Amino acid sequence: MLYCVNNGNNNGGAVKREQTTWDMPFYDRMQLNLERKEAIAREAVLLLEEGDSVFIDGNTSGLVLSRYIPVDKNLTIVTNSSLVTLNLIQKKGKIKVYMVGGEVDEDGMTFGYKLHCELRQYRFDKAIFSCMGFGPEGIAEPDSYACNGRRYSARSS
């Protein structure tokens, strides 16, 4: 487990933590705490305003959230997930959807240098993402790519 940290110069970094059991397949993680993810999603969509530019991360919580995005709002949504993208484009509402690039992992999410470069070009009204954990040290993630992607999306919002 890695903690994204702010090292004082806003460049951040990662600190290794103990091993966890969060190496579950995506669809197994999707079912884990599903009712809580849905409750969070229902609350999160209430924060979306007409004309917002929103980053939605491709984790399981982001995928659940994409099911609740209202089609009647004029929103621009940027994501790093093929699954979130598919959920949103099938709604056929006022939503504009952009998928940022990079290497694609087994969960259908992009990551890496290309993703980070693209995220730096955006300015979001809101960035919605979850993490494996958080604490005084920062955001906990299983790898540095996830840490960096969340850091860039948070900075851009």
Side-chain angles (χ1 to χ4, degrees):
M1 183 69 74
L2 297 173
Y3 269 90
C4 297
V5 296
N6 183 338
N7 60 9
N9 62 10
N10 289 325
N11 289 331
V15 178
K16 187 163 177 57
R17 290 292 191 199
E18 72 282 345
Q19 195 69 340
T20 68
T21 59
W22 285 96
D23 293 331
M24 297 170 64
F26 186 84
Y27 288 100
D28 290 344
R29 290 192 324 266
M30 185 70 183
Q31 297 308 312
L32 194 63
N33 298 312
L34 182 57
E35 289 178 7
R36 290 179 181 175
K37 291 174 186 177
E38 289 174 338
I40 291 168
R42 286 190 295 272
E43 290 298 317
V45 297
L46 298 175
L47 301 173
L48 301 179
E49 301 175 69
E50 183 73 20
D52 271 352
S53 173
V54 183
F55 176 79
I56 299 177
D57 193 39
N59 51 43
T60 58
S61 296
L63 182 55
V64 171
L65 173 69
S66 69
R67 296 175 184 163
Y68 289 89
I69 300 291
V71 296
D72 61 339
K73 282 194 178 167
N74 181 20
L75 300 170
T76 300
I77 298 181
V78 178
T79 185
N80 64 327
S81 167
S82 58
L83 298 174
V84 169
T85 299
L86 285 172
N87 269 356
L88 294 173
I89 62 174
Q90 291 173 359
K91 290 179 176 261
K92 299 179 183 173
K94 295 180 179 180
I95 305 166
K96 291 181 187 174
V97 181
Y98 295 87
M99 185 172 167
V100 285
E103 186 175 345
V104 181
D105 70 10
E106 66 275 3
D107 298 335
M109 292 190 296
T110 57
F111 68 96
Y113 180 75
K114 187 174 184 334
L115 169 67
H116 302 159
C117 289
E118 288 188 31
L119 284 175
R120 288 181 187 148
Q121 297 175 26
Y122 286 94
R123 292 293 170 255
F124 304 111
D125 297 305
K126 297 173 177 81
I128 302 172
F129 58 90
S130 66
C131 56
M132 296 291 184
F134 63 93
E137 297 93 349
I139 297 171
E141 281 298 338
D143 62 62
S144 61
Y145 285 120
C147 283
N148 288 332
R150 284 165 180 79
R151 183 182 319 121
Y152 290 129
S153 63
R155 282 183 185 166
S156 296
S157 64

